[in-house]
């Protein structure tokens, strides 16, 4: 049985201005793993995450997610909706929608029935400790609460992979620790495969495995 959720083979990403963001990246991520990609600003972390998540395409190389080669996927938007959840540094919630409505958005792409969407949103809000914030819009929530809603939204369609781009980057240290602890708990209890970028060694220390990225190349694994 293939336990790989992600396999990146010889990934290079070069831009028209001559900048090489990624240079011959080879990376495999197993089902249920909590992996952190650690590196300074400009090391290529976000580019690698975008390619793994199907938000960008490599210049050369192949990426497989849950056994599917992304270059062969015609509708990447639909594939992402079904297979990948995203947690961004800036939560990217819609300010005029309440917490439950924000969580339901990914489910609309799968044409899920309204009643089922609402039930799933309530389940997820309880899972992330916000069952009393159902009707709160993002401006009514703290930074940590907004990120919890973003995590719940990422889990809405039961994706095989959740990726987080500096999910604690804009939070104070205590709130950041709470968010990483929540992601750890979800990884263990739900079995969600997590790939998170960070430049913070404290965040990285919570992962099952650390991949260090420097100047677009993997320097070493832990």
């Amino acid at each position: 049985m293939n336990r790989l959720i992600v396999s990146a083979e010889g990934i290079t990403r070069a831009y028209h201005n001559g900048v090489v963001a990624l240079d011959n990246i080879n990376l495999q991520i197993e089902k249920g793993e909590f992996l952190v990609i650690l590196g300074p600003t400009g090391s290529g972390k976000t580019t690698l995450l975008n390619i793994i998540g199907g938000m960008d395409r490599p210049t050369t190389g192949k990426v497989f997610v849950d056994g599917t080669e992304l270059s062969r996927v015609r509708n990447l938007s639909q594939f992402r909706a079904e297979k990948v959840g995203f947690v961004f540094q800036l939560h990217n919630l819609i300010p005029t929608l309440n917490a439950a409505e924000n969580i339901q958005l990914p489910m609309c792409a799968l044409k899920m029935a309204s009643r089922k969407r609402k039930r799933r949103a309530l389940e997820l809000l309880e899972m992330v400790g916000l069952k009393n914030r159902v009707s709160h819009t993002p401006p009514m929530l703290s930074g940590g609460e907004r990120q919890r809603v973003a995590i719940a939204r990422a889990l809405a369609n039961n994706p095989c992979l959740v990726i987080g781009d500096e999910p604690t980057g804009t939070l104070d240290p205590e709130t950041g620790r709470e968010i990483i602890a929540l992601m750890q708990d979800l990884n263990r209890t739900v079995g969600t495969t997590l790939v998170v970028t960070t430049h913070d060694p404290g965040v990285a220390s919570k992962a099952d495995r650390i991949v260090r990225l420097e100047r677009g190349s993997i320097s070493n694994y832990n």
Side-chain angles (χ1 to χ4, degrees):
M1 182 177 177
N2 188 359
R3 287 185 52 83
L4 288 181
I5 289 297
V6 174
S7 180
E9 303 174 0
I11 296 302
T12 297
R13 184 64 171 100
Y15 296 99
H16 296 302
N17 60 3
V19 172
V20 178
L22 297 173
D23 185 14
N24 193 33
I25 297 291
N26 293 285
L27 179 64
Q28 294 183 327
I29 303 168
E30 293 190 355
K31 182 178 181 180
E33 188 173 11
F34 182 9
L35 175 77
V36 160
I37 300 171
L38 177 66
T41 300
S43 60
K45 302 189 304 297
T46 297
T47 302
L48 179 56
L49 210 63
N50 287 342
I51 288 174
I52 289 172
M55 298 281 283
D56 191 11
R57 292 189 184 273
T59 305
T60 61
K62 296 180 179 180
V63 179
F64 297 83
V65 174
D66 199 24
T68 298
E69 185 184 346
L70 296 189
S71 66
R72 297 181 180 273
V73 177
R74 291 186 177 182
N75 189 339
L76 275 174
S77 295
Q78 186 67 21
F79 183 86
R80 289 193 301 267
E82 295 173 356
K83 297 288 186 177
V84 186
F86 295 88
V87 182
F88 301 96
Q89 183 176 21
L90 298 175
H91 46 79
N92 288 6
L93 301 176
I94 295 178
T96 55
L97 299 182
N98 65 36
E101 290 166 341
N102 267 286
I103 293 169
Q104 290 179 58
L105 286 176
M107 295 180 256
C108 295
L110 302 189
K111 299 180 180 179
M112 190 181 296
S114 176
R115 183 177 298 177
K116 189 174 181 180
R117 292 200 311 265
K118 291 176 182 178
R119 183 169 64 247
R120 175 68 174 155
L122 293 177
E123 291 172 355
L124 288 166
L125 280 169
E126 183 168 6
M127 188 183 298
V128 299
L130 291 178
K131 65 179 181 180
N132 61 338
R133 295 289 191 269
V134 175
S135 300
H136 287 58
T137 58
M140 301 166 66
L141 300 172
S142 68
E145 288 173 336
R146 289 193 291 270
Q147 202 62 303
R148 284 173 181 265
V149 174
I151 291 169
R153 180 185 58 189
L155 295 170
N157 291 336
N158 292 305
C160 66
L161 173 68
V162 171
I163 59 179
D165 190 10
E166 297 274 4
T168 64
T170 61
L171 304 174
D172 64 81
E174 182 178 353
T175 304
R177 286 191 293 270
E178 292 174 356
I179 291 299
I180 288 299
L182 171 62
M183 297 182 81
Q184 272 188 296
D185 184 58
L186 293 171
N187 170 251
R188 292 167 181 165
T189 59
V190 184
T192 305
T193 305
L194 296 178
V195 182
V196 173
T197 64
T198 187
H199 61 272
D200 184 347
V203 171
S205 68
K206 306 300 182 182
D208 298 326
R209 183 161 60 106
I210 301 170
V211 171
R212 286 180 168 80
L213 202 61
E214 294 182 9
R215 297 181 181 179
S217 297
I218 293 177
S219 58
N220 68 297
Y221 297 85
N222 274 8

